[in-house]
Amino acid sequence: MVESRRVGCLFVDSCSDEQTAAYEWCEEAFDDVERCSLATVDPTDYDVLWWHRDDPFDGAAVAGPQGEALAAYVRSGGSLLLTLGAMAAVEPLGFDAVGPDAVGWEEIPEPTGPLWKALYADHPVAEGFDTLRVHTRGPGITVPYARYEHVAPMAGDVLASTVRGDTDVVKGMATVVWEPGEGHVLGIGSAVSFRQPTHDICHRNRETLVSNALGYLADGDGVRFTGRPKDVETLTAMREGLADDPLRPTFHVTPPANWLNDPNGLIHWNGRYHLFYQYNPTGPFHNTIHWGHAVSDDLIHWEDRPVALSPSPDGPDRDGCWSGCAVDDDGTATILYTGGRDKKQLPCIATAADEALSSWVKDPANPVIEETPAEPEVLRTEDWEGEFRDHCVWREDGVWHQLIGAGMEGGGGAALLYVSENLRDWEYRGPILSGDRDTAGTVWECPELLDFGDRHLLHVSNYEDVVYFLGTYDDGEFTAERRDKLDHGDFYAPQSMWTDDGRILTWGWIPEARDVSAQWDAGWSGTMSLPRELTLADDGGLCQRPAPELTALRGANTHHDELRLSSGDRQRVDVESRAFELRATVRLEDAEAVELSVLETPDRAERTPIRYTRDSEMYVDRSESSHDPEATIATQRMRVTPYDSPLSLRVFVDGSVVEVFANERHCLTSRVYPTSEDATGISLAADGGRATVASLDVWEMQSAWDAEREPSVREKLSSRP
């Protein structure tokens, strides 16, 4: 038996066979256990209450005085364990406005159990497990369950999702902790049934898990990172907890933990830069999107802020607050975003509740556009009544204009135009531009129209690429004259900000290029690109440059006036780093290609070559970038300025990110995942002839985050034996 803790085991009317089996185990494991009717129990008699339930939960069991007494006991400092179907009690008990959306019975075909989040691997409930993947229930039986799948708890923290055999079911969020008032509630909604026999390993794991849970709740100790909403101090601690990951970028904007995708609501407000982003607080996977928030005074040093926008349980954004933009409406910061609920995705609006833009008031009349347009007919899919989302809003001649991305039935993507006097009553005008699905994609997401004076740029994201069109826009119609990709690599859903000094700065989402399990184990997913300044060249082409503010992050410099490369020779640069900027001017002379290799081990077993060829092509070869079999090996390519002109090259390497800027015109962003601690080298080589690097500078880059800014952090990552 474990040390003395008084445990009350709850039931309604009488114990089922499943409850009897569970509570008999508890009576053997703990030395002071009683079975208690929910109708008559005095919760204060116990250190912890356990409610294990296999019957469907309808809420009636906690209606009336017994439920009120149980909720009051917890809020005043009591502890409650809810297992299997009982986890559905969190909503009627008032602990969370959103209860589990997946409740019922299921057959278990493979060993199943909790998939612990890396952030909570040292949680007391996970004590004794040496892996994040713990099987607690063997196959071949039908068992009850309650978990979150398509929605997320509003007040609870997800400690673990679900693993089935070797498969990570990241959206099966089955282990959740709440901290209502002064109390603690833990829900374990699946894979802890007791009645049917199971494999010895699963049997031991199940008993360890439930014993840990009861002990943790009886002790009533708080655990770092838990509790919602999370304040700045907690977010900073989460970021610090991931700082030793050598693959995690340090001078890019990243989430404090969990999932990040599209940049949203970019705005320069009261002298501060605000970058909101699509964020899943429940784990490093895409689901139940909120708006994360980061702020900066100088575009390079960033601070985490609490989640700014969350789904409303009864609102049109219950399933997610998706991408949107921010505008200044006569001194009021206002956002328009896509709200998702069931199969509908429609525009919503909210206004800032404070000048720090830390919280927002949603319009009670949301959605502000209640249906998709009739012409052209918007594409219907298995998931959506209409592929209709994402917003670009601007004011012109006293009228608000809005673009919404869409797909068309029988066609390709489209950017649909609406106009309004007040941001709330919108009139549909039609598409400003549409494309064919074969060359421009089936659906256009995240459309954005940028005004460069006598030329306009429209970019759209089509699931694979960010395609831009340069041309003219007039009276609701865009005439395209040029077309290309904004980036030729891992870059998606960009959004731009007009700065107070009149510049256009653009950020994009850099997605991961490794499998879901690797992202889960890391505890984070996704990063923003560096801010790019967009301008037009004298010839009318698009220029993309890293924002000049980034030079303030430069640290130690290594400089070479000239390097002459002969065919077959390789010259190593005297820098060992995973966070640096490299700038070079390259002439091919008579060489077939020049290769810059980064993140290279001394034996070159791991390396990422960036090659510039006589065929005016640049490519990033990832075939040897990582020994991890789950990391991508795909090569990425782009056309650049013809080889007889010198190549102006800037490369930013940051953990697992490689961003390449060629001649201030062409961009290629890549993700690579070296596994060797000494994959920090840089080398240069020529192939098939002579080449000259007319100048070369490498700067080690400092962190953009206070939580990571200690020099020792990056030194540790680059100097491990």
Side-chain angles (χ1 to χ4, degrees), residues 14 26 54 86 168 176 198 208 236 253 326 364 369 444 472 515 547 571 584 624 657 667 685:
S14 61
C26 189
D54 54 331
D168 293 348
V176 184
T198 189
T208 298
T236 300
V253 172
I369 298 175
W444 285 1
T472 57
D515 72 350
Q571 296 191 30
E624 303 295 336
V657 172
C667 297

Side-chain angles (χ1 to χ4, degrees), residues 47-71:
D47 297 314
V48 58
L49 294 176
W50 178 20
W51 192 1
H52 183 75
R53 182 182 175 98
D54 54 331
D55 292 333
F57 191 88
D58 59 8
V62 294
Q66 61 266 38
E68 294 173 3
L70 183 58

Side-chain angles (χ1 to χ4, degrees), residues 413-471:
L416 306 180
L417 176 65
Y418 287 78
V419 296
S420 173
E421 297 289 339
N422 58 14
L423 289 174
R424 288 161 176 79
D425 301 302
W426 293 93
E427 177 187 345
Y428 177 58
R429 291 292 178 85
I432 68 165
L433 186 69
S434 56
D436 65 276
R437 70 171 63 199
D438 292 333
T439 62
T442 303
V443 176
W444 285 1
E445 299 186 291
C446 303
E448 185 173 62
L449 184 67
L450 300 174
D451 185 357
F452 289 97
D454 60 349
R455 288 289 183 272
H456 287 77
L457 182 146
L458 173 69
H459 67 75
V460 297
S461 298
N462 65 9
Y463 292 157
E464 294 183 0
D465 301 311
V466 181
V467 179
Y468 75 82
F469 305 90
L470 271 173

Side-chain angles (χ1 to χ4, degrees), residues 538-606:
D538 292 341
D539 64 2
L542 178 66
C543 292
Q544 301 186 68
R545 304 177 182 90
E549 288 87 347
L550 293 166
T551 59
L553 289 177
R554 290 173 175 171
N557 172 246
T558 299
H559 173 76
H560 293 274
D561 286 330
E562 185 176 78
L563 292 174
R564 295 186 178 276
L565 305 174
S566 301
S567 181
D569 292 338
R570 179 168 296 276
Q571 296 191 30
R572 291 187 63 87
V573 180
D574 189 22
V575 175
E576 299 287 332
S577 179
R578 288 191 175 184
F580 63 88
E581 175 193 352
L582 182 146
R583 186 177 66 186
T585 301
V586 179
R587 294 195 303 269
L588 283 179
E589 311 295 359
D590 60 355
E592 292 297 322
V594 168
E595 178 181 290
L596 165 67
S597 182
V598 299
L599 299 173
E600 182 177 85
T601 56
D603 61 1
R604 306 196 72 236
E606 282 189 323

Side-chain angles (χ1 to χ4, degrees), residues 153-464:
M154 282 196 71
D157 268 310
V158 175
L159 301 183
S161 285
T162 301
V163 60
R164 292 192 184 120
D166 296 327
T167 301
D168 293 348
V169 186
V170 296
K171 293 186 178 181
M173 297 169 279
T175 306
V176 184
V177 64
W178 293 265
E179 298 177 2
E182 301 298 319
H184 295 81
V185 177
L186 177 66
I188 306 175
S190 68
V192 286
S193 59
F194 282 77
R195 185 169 62 86
Q196 302 96 331
T198 189
H199 188 279
D200 286 348
I201 294 176
C202 294
H203 180 94
R204 288 194 301 271
N205 287 343
R206 179 196 63 201
E207 293 188 354
T208 298
L209 176 64
V210 177
S211 180
N212 285 351
L214 289 168
Y216 153 71
L217 290 168
D219 293 342
D221 295 331
V223 176
R224 67 174 187 158
F225 306 150
T226 57
R228 291 179 64 190
K230 298 193 184 302
D231 57 20
V232 171
E233 182 179 357
T234 303
L235 295 173
T236 300
M238 292 164 62
R239 182 173 295 281
E240 289 173 344
L242 297 173
D244 283 340
D245 182 351
L247 298 177
R248 184 162 159 86
T250 62
F251 61 90
H252 288 69
V253 172
T254 55
N258 303 313
W259 169 274
L260 169 153
N261 60 295
D262 306 0
N264 291 157
L266 303 183
I267 191 168
H268 195 191
W269 188 261
N270 289 341
R272 303 204 85 186
Y273 299 95
H274 293 261
L275 194 162
F276 301 93
Y277 53 87
Q278 299 279 275
Y279 177 62
N280 177 14
T282 67
F285 58 98
H286 187 271
N287 199 48
T288 318
I289 291 299
H290 298 52
W291 276 31
H293 187 194
V295 298
S296 174
D297 293 324
D298 57 10
L299 279 174
I300 53 173
H301 297 106
W302 293 89
E303 302 170 8
D304 291 305
R305 286 293 179 265
V307 167
L309 193 69
S310 300
S312 297
D314 299 321
D317 58 5
R318 180 198 65 187
D319 298 342
C321 299
W322 295 324
S323 285
C325 62
V327 296
D328 181 349
D329 183 17
D330 195 23
T332 299
T334 302
I335 57 174
L336 286 97
Y337 67 98
T338 299
R341 185 182 179 101
D342 299 323
K343 289 194 172 186
K344 293 181 181 292
Q345 42 185 354
L346 294 169
C348 298
I349 192 169
T351 54
D354 55 70
E355 287 300 302
L357 310 188
S358 59
S359 61
W360 299 80
V361 179
K362 299 175 184 178
D363 194 309
N366 280 337
V368 293
I369 298 175
E370 296 185 350
E371 59 185 8
T372 59
E375 183 64 35
E377 184 180 358
V378 173
L379 177 67
R380 291 174 175 263
T381 62
E382 180 180 350
D383 296 321
W384 304 112
E385 292 182 4
E387 295 283 358
F388 178 76
R389 59 184 171 270
D390 309 331
H391 313 269
C392 171
V393 179
W394 72 97
R395 192 167 177 82
E396 181 180 336
D397 297 330
V399 177
W400 290 104
H401 294 65
Q402 175 178 198
L403 292 183
I404 299 178
M408 301 178 296
E409 286 286 356
L416 306 180
L417 176 65
Y418 287 78
V419 296
S420 173
E421 297 289 339
N422 58 14
L423 289 174
R424 288 161 176 79
D425 301 302
W426 293 93
E427 177 187 345
Y428 177 58
R429 291 292 178 85
I432 68 165
L433 186 69
S434 56
D436 65 276
R437 70 171 63 199
D438 292 333
T439 62
T442 303
V443 176
W444 285 1
E445 299 186 291
C446 303
E448 185 173 62
L449 184 67
L450 300 174
D451 185 357
F452 289 97
D454 60 349
R455 288 289 183 272
H456 287 77
L457 182 146
L458 173 69
H459 67 75
V460 297
S461 298
N462 65 9
Y463 292 157
E464 294 183 0

Side-chain angles (χ1 to χ4, degrees), residues 16 45 60 74 142 206 357 397 412 711:
S16 67
D45 287 342
V74 171
T142 300
R206 179 196 63 201
L357 310 188
D397 297 330

